[in-house]
Amino acid sequence: MTSSTGLVKVIGLTEKFTFNPKEGIDNPVMVITDDADSEPTSSPRLCVLKREEGESYGFHLRVERGRQGHIIRNVVLGGVAGCSGLQDGDRLLEVNSCYVDDIPHPEVARKIKLSGNQLCLLVLDGEAYELAVSQGKDLRGLARAHKDKGCKPPRLCHITRDPVSGLGINFTPVEGEKGHFSVSLVTGGAAEKAGVCKGDRLVWMNGATVSDLTHSALSRMMKKCGNHITILVIDSESEKNYIRQRMPILPTMAVPHKLPYRPRKLHLVSGPEGYGFLLRLEKAPSGRTFHILREMDRGSPAERAGMRDGELLLEINGESVETLKHEEIVDRVRQSGQQVSLTTITSQGLEFYTQLGLSPLLFCEDDAAEKEKEGSVPASEAGKSTHKEMDSLGKPRLCSLRKGPLGFGFNLGCVPQCPGTFISQVAFGGSGQSAGLLVGDMVIEVNGQNVEEKYLEDVIMLVKEGGHFLSLSVMDKTNYTKMKQAITPTRNISDSEQEEEDYEISSL
């Protein structure tokens, strides 16, 4: 790890320090300080923060008028952030390997809060950041260059026992590397189907890191797992890259595979009778109280959005409800106006993530993408649609926006290497939300110009050319797909491709 100057002084190093990528940097006797006389460097720095339960990370994240980027402020001297090398004025580029410079501040803060007690931040010195911006440098490229090529994220895989072949996985100690285990698989078995690959390295099992376990202890854990097991794995080459960068391998960085429960984001547009559901505060057998969704009216916005009776409410408009009172949540819904976004999960799902020690909000699925499957027109039938049918599919909405403190308050996404853009995020309280933009809306026109066949970069340029005002013609994804198929047969965008668009998002 280097400081913002590229030079470090190590003070008080009185004990042998062994870096463990599965645990992170956790050496209380090693303090890193900067050489104050050196010039700032344009190279990003990786800061690994690890705190105790209930302890603060010891810094603030701010957006400041007249300055760009997410700014690190009020770093506590001797605190977790300070000892990690974080400095006042640093600009945040990545949170747990996810590029965040171009996403809204509330979403960045949310990612940090969901990280639990260990966090990886890639930062750039404030002066170097402002210089890079003034020179038009690609900050995403700077962040990408900090990583080794071919370094892949870990995978969080849930394996369900097969009646014949069992879990289909075994672990072998890596010779000469204590606490490292290599994966061997039954071809076509349950583990392979769950996304585990031959030769993968095991990092974590059912919420526990395996770096301190013997092979016999690991075997005992396997026997106790029953019919299900959740493991964090990574390929051996990527593991070497993480070790080289002194970067911990965390479940918060993982790509999920076959997880049995996923929180869902529901997008509701109010009707004449409201949203059509009840919110109740109920006590679970454990004694904890939860906000429960109940009694969806038939044909109501809640029912159409896919709300299910008995689900637990996790978020409203991206804000966690964990510390909110019932009345405060009701107020949030009323303040949302004609639309609201709710994140929900089943009680079994919450129990699953609680046992793993993870926040379920790390692995949300957007119900807007799921809804795209419903009512899609088969290609063989697309040519038979009439103009009358097309009229019934819904019409584009014209949304007029004025740039505010959060910019235009939305993100654009795309399917890689394909034309066409959609609204991937809408900032709460921003201009986009006020104008009526919804996550999943397909963008048809920008300032009167059709962009259906344009790529993301071209659409962004058109948005920027409009200055502080923007006019968007959009349509919800389901009706847009039906409309396009009514005109000419087209393929649907699959869920797997939707997941890939996360790497093609730009914030406006």
Side-chain angles (χ1 to χ4, degrees):
M1 179 171 64
T2 62
S3 72
S4 63
T5 64
L7 301 172
V8 297
K9 297 175 182 176
V10 180
I11 302 174
L13 188 57
T14 59
E15 298 176 11
K16 183 179 179 181
F17 171 59
T18 303
F19 176 74
N20 188 331
K22 299 171 184 178
E23 291 282 338
I25 295 176
D26 189 19
N27 189 351
V29 300
M30 187 173 79
V31 180
I32 298 177
T33 61
D34 294 301
D35 188 328
D37 299 327
S38 300
E39 294 296 322
T41 177
S42 60
S43 298
R45 310 186 323 272
L46 180 67
C47 298
V48 180
L49 290 71
K50 187 175 182 180
R51 65 182 180 184
E52 298 298 325
E53 192 67 41
E55 185 182 13
S56 167
Y57 279 125
F59 75 96
H60 290 169
L61 186 68
R62 297 181 54 179
V63 174
E64 298 178 0
R65 189 180 300 276
R67 293 177 179 268
Q68 290 184 266
H70 305 287
I71 306 174
I72 304 294
R73 292 295 189 201
N74 302 333
V75 179
V76 177
L77 184 65
V80 175
C83 291
S84 78
L86 211 58
Q87 299 173 9
D88 188 82
D90 281 343
R91 299 303 200 278
L92 187 57
L93 297 183
E94 288 186 350
V95 175
N96 293 333
S97 296
C98 177
Y99 185 73
V100 298
D101 183 69
D102 60 355
I103 69 175
H105 177 79
E107 180 63 20
V108 180
R110 178 179 179 271
K111 286 182 179 294
I112 292 174
K113 290 175 182 177
L114 293 179
S115 297
N117 292 328
Q118 195 161 1
L119 183 63
C120 288
L121 302 180
L122 188 68
V123 298
L124 189 61
D125 173 85
E127 291 181 26
Y129 178 94
E130 292 177 359
L131 180 62
V133 170
S134 68
Q135 294 175 344
K137 288 186 178 180
D138 177 14
L139 293 174
R140 187 188 290 270
L142 268 180
R144 192 181 296 121
H146 184 266
K147 303 175 185 176
D148 291 336
K149 288 184 178 180
C151 188
K152 299 175 183 177
R155 281 158 280 127
L156 188 65
C157 304
H158 183 77
I159 308 169
T160 301
R161 184 182 297 274
D162 183 89
V164 177
S165 59
L167 295 170
I169 190 169
N170 286 300
F171 304 106
T172 305
V174 178
E175 189 174 350
E177 298 182 36
K178 183 182 177 182
H180 288 239
F181 300 93
S182 180
V183 169
S184 57
L185 300 172
V186 173
T187 303
E192 189 174 71
K193 291 177 181 177
V196 185
C197 300
K198 182 181 179 181
D200 276 346
R201 299 297 175 88
L202 179 67
V203 179
W204 177 100
M205 178 187 292
N206 286 350
T209 55
V210 301
S211 55
D212 295 325
L213 296 180
T214 62
H215 186 247
S216 59
L218 186 62
S219 298
R220 287 194 296 271
M221 280 186 67
M222 284 283 290
K223 290 178 181 178
K224 293 179 181 179
C225 72
N227 292 326
H228 305 273
I229 190 170
T230 306
I231 61 175
L232 184 70
V233 295
I234 192 168
D235 68 274
S236 58
E237 283 304 310
S238 294
E239 184 190 45
K240 293 175 184 177
N241 290 332
Y242 276 81
I243 293 173
R244 191 156 44 243
Q245 296 179 67
R246 294 193 169 186
M247 188 174 185
I249 303 169
L250 305 176
T252 50
M253 304 170 176
V255 177
H257 286 264
K258 299 287 187 179
L259 296 185
Y261 306 100
R262 300 279 290 274
R264 300 183 304 135
K265 284 193 176 183
L266 310 179
H267 306 279
L268 285 69
V269 179
S270 180
E273 303 297 324
Y275 293 112
F277 72 96
L278 294 181
L279 180 67
R280 294 175 53 178
L281 192 63
E282 299 182 11
K283 183 173 288 189
S286 63
R288 292 183 61 190
T289 55
F290 297 98
H291 303 284
I292 310 294
L293 306 172
R294 295 290 190 191
E295 299 181 31
M296 292 84 230
D297 295 339
R298 186 177 295 278
S300 67
E303 185 183 64
R304 291 197 300 271
M307 188 179 291
R308 300 165 188 164
D309 187 79
E311 284 191 314
L312 283 59
L313 181 64
L314 297 178
E315 287 184 321
I316 176 168
N317 295 325
E319 179 184 4
S320 172
V321 303
E322 188 173 3
T323 59
L324 295 181
K325 297 177 181 178
H326 179 80
E327 297 77 12
E328 292 175 318
I329 297 175
V330 173
D331 286 342
R332 297 288 198 282
V333 174
R334 289 171 177 163
Q335 293 167 7
S336 294
Q338 295 301 303
Q339 58 178 308
V340 68
S341 172
L342 305 177
T343 307
T344 69
I345 194 171
T346 63
S347 57
Q348 298 94 329
L350 184 61
E351 178 65 19
F352 170 77
Y353 287 102
T354 300
Q355 290 179 355
L356 295 180
L358 300 175
S359 168
L361 294 170
L362 291 166
F363 306 105
C364 278
E365 66 180 29
D366 196 325
D367 235 42
E370 292 296 316
K371 286 290 180 183
E372 186 182 346
K373 297 177 182 178
E374 300 177 10
S376 59
V377 182
S380 61
E381 297 295 322
K384 300 178 183 179
S385 298
T386 64
H387 289 288
K388 183 177 180 180
E389 288 172 330
M390 290 171 58
D391 290 339
S392 69
L393 296 177
K395 296 180 179 180
R397 309 189 315 275
L398 186 63
C399 301
S400 300
L401 295 80
R402 180 172 182 172
K403 188 175 287 188
L406 298 176
F408 287 122
F410 67 93
N411 288 2
L412 284 176
C414 72
V415 176
Q417 286 81 51
C418 291
T421 53
F422 56 87
I423 306 298
S424 63
Q425 291 182 357
V426 179
F428 176 65
S431 180
Q433 186 187 51
S434 301
L437 289 180
L438 298 173
V439 172
D441 280 343
M442 301 300 296
V443 181
I444 300 173
E445 292 184 354
V446 173
N447 295 330
Q449 183 171 339
N450 189 281
V451 296
E452 293 175 273
E453 296 301 318
K454 291 186 179 293
Y455 287 82
L456 178 63
E457 294 78 8
D458 300 322
V459 177
I460 291 173
M461 290 302 298
L462 286 174
V463 171
K464 291 181 177 178
E465 287 172 3
H468 290 274
F469 297 91
L470 178 64
S471 174
L472 294 180
S473 177
V474 299
M475 181 182 280
D476 72 275
K477 202 179 300 182
T478 300
N479 283 331
Y480 180 83
T481 302
K482 289 182 180 179
M483 181 186 74
K484 297 300 288 183
Q485 290 181 326
I487 299 172
T488 181
T490 58
R491 66 181 182 91
N492 285 333
I493 298 172
S494 68
D495 286 344
S496 60
E497 290 173 309
Q498 283 290 345
E499 291 175 1
E500 290 179 12
E501 56 85 13
D502 287 342
Y503 298 95
E504 298 287 336
I505 288 177
S506 299
S507 181
L508 304 171

